[in-house]
Amino acid sequence: MNFLKLIFLFFPAFFFTQVSYEGKIGNYPIEMVLNIDREFADGIYIYSKFNEPISIKGIIENGHLILFELDGDTRKAKFYFDNFKDGKEEYLGTWTNLKTEVQLNVYLKKKANQKSFLQSESTKQFYFRGTEENEENYLLIIDKKSNQIFQKMKMEECGFNSIYNVSVGDYNFDGYEDFSSCVQSYAGPNTSKTYFLFDNKKNEFFASDFSGTSLEFDEKNKLITETNQCCAGASIVKNIYKVKQNKMVLTKEHCYKWSEKLQKHIEKKPKDCQ
């Protein structure tokens, strides 16, 4: 099973949910978001002083919640909550540094506002929080050092019910970090996103005109590849773009058709995939 879930042995009929908590590790204020399911957990937490999202994953063993703080695949620290049960408003536990073995008490309390979720990815300067206000969705872009809102963006077609609604990258290859959101899924593996670029002169993010299916960004060669699969993968279109003045400019078109005889994809003329 996927490790990004959380065991609830006491409630076998429990289904996926996401819960935000606030509290402390020792004397350090934190905020934590957990994705909760039958068997596993994943989530993030931040220290209010640093505002850097930290990944956590865990399970329940014999009714005890165990979460590991991760740096890539390396376990840096361990959370432990005894007698963890669904529905509680408060939890007491411990946090242990796995290198130094320093242990601190942990206190968590369920937040009153469960419509505001931290995002797992951040830039060097900003972290993100999705929120719902008056049935409208907004993304708060928050400065890590000052903890002040840098920009508030109304997201017409986005919902923020997950910590994974925002991804970060340099999409126009100008050396400044951008972000994407509003994932849309189509037939097969095809997806699309809205890409928000950082304008260094205006010092703000803006929604770009980037569009396409399943875009991949090659920062080394400064190229964008669009992949569109059709007919259960029998037809694949790959378009290559460069970026000019924050616009995607088509440079190459490739069409691949599945050959039953050869049992592999064969490149055809672009018109054959239309």
Side-chain angles (χ1 to χ4, degrees):
M1 298 183 70
N2 192 327
F3 191 67
L4 306 182
K5 300 178 182 177
L6 172 65
I7 294 176
F8 274 95
L9 298 181
F10 298 100
F11 290 82
F14 190 84
F15 295 98
F16 171 85
T17 188
Q18 186 168 262
V19 184
S20 290
Y21 301 93
E22 56 190 356
K24 288 185 177 183
I25 297 177
N27 293 320
Y28 304 102
I30 66 166
E31 182 175 347
M32 181 181 291
V33 185
L34 284 178
N35 291 322
I36 302 170
D37 206 336
R38 292 177 184 269
E39 298 182 352
F40 300 101
D42 79 306
I44 54 172
Y45 82 97
I46 61 170
Y47 290 94
S48 300
K49 182 178 180 180
F50 304 109
N51 297 310
E52 184 71 42
I54 301 171
S55 177
I56 48 179
K57 293 182 181 180
I59 61 174
I60 284 183
E61 292 182 350
N62 300 320
H64 310 306
L65 173 62
I66 302 169
L67 296 167
F68 289 100
E69 176 182 320
L70 301 175
D71 181 6
D73 293 327
T74 304
R75 293 177 173 181
K76 307 290 288 187
K78 175 182 176 181
F79 288 90
Y80 180 86
F81 297 92
D82 191 18
N83 193 25
F84 191 83
K85 296 181 180 180
D86 173 35
K88 292 175 63 175
E89 295 291 319
E90 297 180 330
Y91 297 99
L92 297 175
T94 58
W95 173 93
T96 304
N97 185 309
L98 295 179
K99 182 177 181 179
T100 65
E101 297 186 351
V102 170
Q103 187 174 97
L104 299 173
N105 291 327
V106 178
Y107 168 74
L108 294 179
K109 181 179 180 180
K110 187 176 179 180
K111 293 184 66 177
N113 182 6
Q114 291 293 317
K115 293 185 177 181
S116 176
F117 287 115
L118 291 169
Q119 296 298 300
S120 62
E121 293 197 30
S122 67
T123 70
K124 293 179 180 179
Q125 185 176 355
F126 306 108
Y127 72 98
F128 302 91
R129 183 188 297 276
T131 186
E132 180 181 317
E133 299 177 10
N134 299 318
E135 298 184 353
E136 300 284 353
N137 293 313
Y138 294 89
L139 182 66
L140 306 182
I141 304 168
I142 306 170
D143 186 272
K144 288 181 178 178
K145 290 185 178 180
S146 67
N147 206 28
Q148 299 297 309
I149 295 175
F150 171 80
Q151 194 172 346
K152 182 177 181 179
M153 304 185 74
K154 186 175 181 179
M155 311 296 273
E156 297 287 353
E157 298 179 0
C158 294
F160 292 97
N161 58 355
S162 166
I163 62 175
Y164 303 115
N165 292 128
V166 170
S167 298
V168 171
D170 182 5
Y171 301 125
N172 58 349
F173 316 122
D174 64 351
Y176 295 95
E177 291 178 292
D178 312 306
F179 73 92
S180 60
S181 190
C182 309
V183 178
Q184 302 290 326
S185 297
Y186 306 102
N190 298 328
T191 61
S192 68
K193 296 181 180 180
T194 301
Y195 296 89
F196 300 86
L197 306 180
F198 185 73
D199 188 326
N200 184 49
K201 294 182 178 179
K202 294 184 179 180
N203 196 35
E204 66 179 14
F205 290 94
F206 67 95
S208 74
D209 294 326
F210 286 14
S211 64
T213 305
S214 303
L215 299 184
E216 296 181 0
F217 296 82
D218 182 348
E219 293 189 27
K220 180 180 180 180
N221 297 304
K222 298 184 178 181
L223 294 173
I224 301 173
T225 300
E226 176 187 19
T227 303
N228 192 329
Q229 298 190 39
C230 175
C231 312
S235 177
I236 301 176
V237 174
K238 283 187 177 289
N239 294 328
I240 311 299
Y241 301 85
K242 63 180 180 180
V243 178
K244 186 175 182 179
Q245 296 180 341
N246 289 330
K247 305 289 183 181
M248 292 172 56
V249 179
L250 182 64
T251 60
K252 294 181 180 179
E253 297 179 84
H254 298 281
C255 165
Y256 302 92
K257 288 285 190 176
W258 179 255
S259 169
E260 288 291 342
K261 181 179 179 180
L262 299 176
Q263 288 294 296
K264 65 178 182 178
H265 285 94
I266 303 298
E267 186 162 9
K268 300 289 187 176
K269 293 181 180 180
K271 65 179 182 180
D272 293 331
C273 283
Q274 295 178 356

